[in-house]
């Protein structure tokens, strides 16, 4: 569980994370899983009507890790998953910088696809991170969006 | 003693990241037993605190878990108030 979740200022290496998902903890190859789904979220240049030049991510130390762990445990209880890895960056980020990584392995693709979306949908609504953007009209805190709430609520029915 | 934390725009608007409150001895807070009562008492600080803390959108956590206002507070708790989250 310890290395499943990371909240960090430094960047992450997608290729290395992918390789790590394919390996068992003893270094041997994880040959029982036939599917890997990965998601990377990036800093986009346009948001809520304005051009974005960069952003700062604030978080609640301790609670972020706990919230992410709770989300991963919920996903594991819903689908038969192999390995799960979540990385979320904090601090100052520039355009196109990587913000978040979610990687999930499973025997079959359906579980891996759905669990990855589930983790992102809950992360967007439950993990205590806040974005402050630098835009062409000055600095501003990003507003939470209803579409993210709806995206999470669809799992209530599933 | 309880610790009260504020994050993001709320922290900036209040110009306050952290408070320490002695629920048993600080006369302002001796009648406070639930999280909602703490929020109401803090909102009485002044007009700014009133408008920042009495918005329905604010999230509240006790000991790093999101809870509702009925949560009963006890000595040693870590309380946090923050706006809806925007990570990912």
């Amino acid at each position: 569980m310890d290395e499943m979740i990371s909240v960090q200022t430094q960047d992450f290496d997608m290729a290395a994370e992918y390789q790590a998902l394919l390996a068992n903890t003893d270094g041997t190859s994880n040959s029982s899983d036939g599917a890997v789904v990965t998601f990377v979220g990036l800093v986009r240049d346009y948001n809520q009507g304005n051009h974005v030049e960069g952003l700062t991510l604030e978080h609640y130390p301790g609670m972020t890790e706990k919230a992410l762990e709770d989300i991963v445990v919920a996903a594991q209880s819903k689908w038969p998953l192999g390995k799960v890895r979540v990385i979320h960056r904090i601090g100052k980020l520039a355009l196109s910088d990587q913000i978040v990584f979610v990687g999930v392995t499973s025997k079959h693709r359906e579980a891996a696809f759905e669990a990855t979306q589930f983790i992102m949908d809950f992360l967007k609504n439950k993990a205590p991170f806040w974005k402050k953007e630098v835009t062409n009209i000055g600095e501003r805190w990003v507003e939470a969006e209803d579409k993210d709430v709806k995206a999470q609520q669809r799992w209530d029915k599933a | 003693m309880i610790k009260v934390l504020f994050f993001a725009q709320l922290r900036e608007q209040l110009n306050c990241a952290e408070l320490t409150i002695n629920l048993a001895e600080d006369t302002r807070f001796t009648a406070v037993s639930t999280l909602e009562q703490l929020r109401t008492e803090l909102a009485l600080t002044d007009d700014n605190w009133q408008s920042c803390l009495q918005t329905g959108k604010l999230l509240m956590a006790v000991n790093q878990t999101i809870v509702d206002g009925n949560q009963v507070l006890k000595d040693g708790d870590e309380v946090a108030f923050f706006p809806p989250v925007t990570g990912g």
Side-chain angles (χ1 to χ4, degrees), chain A residues 58-63 66 88 99-100 123-132 141-144, chain B residues 5-9 11-12 57 59 61 63-66 78-80 82-88:
Chain A
E58 176 171 331
H59 78 304
Y60 179 173
M63 184 173 166
K66 188 170 177 288
H88 202 296
I99 304 171
V100 59
L123 182 154
K124 280 273 187 185
N125 291 288
K126 300 289 182 196
F129 294 99
W130 300 273
K131 286 186 188 129
K132 190 178 197 181
W141 291 95
V142 173
E143 291 288 328
Chain B
L5 305 172
F6 305 95
F7 290 96
Q9 54 269 57
R11 169 178 51 75
E12 286 185 353
K57 281 188 167 180
L59 298 175
N63 299 327
Q64 306 189 348
T65 299
I66 292 176
E78 178 178 294
V79 174
F82 47 81
V85 303
T86 56

Side-chain angles (χ1 to χ4, degrees), chain A residues 47-106:
Chain A
N47 191 38
Q48 296 173 350
N50 293 101
H51 292 282
V52 176
E53 289 153 19
L55 58 81
T56 305
L57 262 155
E58 176 171 331
H59 78 304
Y60 179 173
M63 184 173 166
T64 43
E65 290 84 348
K66 188 170 177 288
L68 292 173
E69 202 160 294
D70 289 347
I71 294 167
V72 170
V73 168
Q76 284 168 327
S77 70
K78 228 168 151 59
W79 292 278
L81 305 179
K83 298 182 90 172
V84 180
R85 178 81 167 118
V86 178
I87 306 171
H88 202 296
R89 294 180 67 197
I90 49 172
K92 268 195 181 336
L93 298 175
L95 287 187
S96 299
D97 276 358
Q98 303 185 119
I99 304 171
V100 59
F101 174 88
V102 177
V104 174
T105 77
S106 188

Side-chain angles (χ1 to χ4, degrees), chain B residues 36-81:
Chain B
E36 190 54 42
Q37 289 167 345
L38 174 67
R39 163 150 112 165
T40 304
E41 185 54 47
L42 287 172
L44 293 175
T45 305
D46 63 25
D47 288 350
N48 182 40
W49 283 66
Q50 182 75 40
S51 66
C52 291
L53 286 177
Q54 292 301 61
T55 131
K57 281 188 167 180
L58 223 53
L59 298 175
M60 304 183 283
V62 172
N63 299 327
Q64 306 189 348
T65 299
I66 292 176
V67 293
D68 66 28
N70 296 324
Q71 176 88 15
V72 174
L73 301 174
K74 59 181 191 315
D75 198 42
D77 278 349
E78 178 178 294
V79 174
F81 295 94

Side-chain angles (χ1 to χ4, degrees), chain A:
Chain A
M1 290 283 271
D2 283 349
E3 46 188 302
M4 194 165 71
I5 284 150
S6 303
V7 176
Q8 60 189 45
T9 51
Q10 69 265 34
D11 201 5
F12 52 83
D13 178 352
M14 175 78 178
E17 295 302 332
Y18 173 71
Q19 289 303 330
L21 283 168
L22 302 188
N24 291 319
T25 38
D26 63 3
T28 59
S29 168
N30 169 12
S31 53
S32 61
D33 286 337
V36 185
V37 170
T38 58
F39 171 81
V40 176
L42 308 169
V43 179
R44 194 181 55 233
D45 66 358
Y46 196 81
N47 191 38
Q48 296 173 350
N50 293 101
H51 292 282
V52 176
E53 289 153 19
L55 58 81
T56 305
L57 262 155
E58 176 171 331
H59 78 304
Y60 179 173
M63 184 173 166
T64 43
E65 290 84 348
K66 188 170 177 288
L68 292 173
E69 202 160 294
D70 289 347
I71 294 167
V72 170
V73 168
Q76 284 168 327
S77 70
K78 228 168 151 59
W79 292 278
L81 305 179
K83 298 182 90 172
V84 180
R85 178 81 167 118
V86 178
I87 306 171
H88 202 296
R89 294 180 67 197
I90 49 172
K92 268 195 181 336
L93 298 175
L95 287 187
S96 299
D97 276 358
Q98 303 185 119
I99 304 171
V100 59
F101 174 88
V102 177
V104 174
T105 77
S106 188
K107 287 190 171 30
H108 304 289
R109 70 181 183 284
E110 292 82 359
F113 272 129
E114 289 184 6
T116 304
Q117 284 208 301
F118 174 95
I119 290 168
M120 275 308 301
D121 289 344
F122 276 79
L123 182 154
K124 280 273 187 185
N125 291 288
K126 300 289 182 196
F129 294 99
W130 300 273
K131 286 186 188 129
K132 190 178 197 181
E133 291 175 335
V134 182
T135 75
N136 57 319
I137 56 159
E139 284 196 335
R140 66 166 180 212
W141 291 95
V142 173
E143 291 288 328
E145 298 194 55
D146 284 346
K147 71 176 171 65
D148 291 324
V149 176
K150 290 202 174 74
Q152 186 213 304
Q153 285 168 347
R154 70 184 153 150
W155 299 105
D156 295 345
K157 300 170 217 129

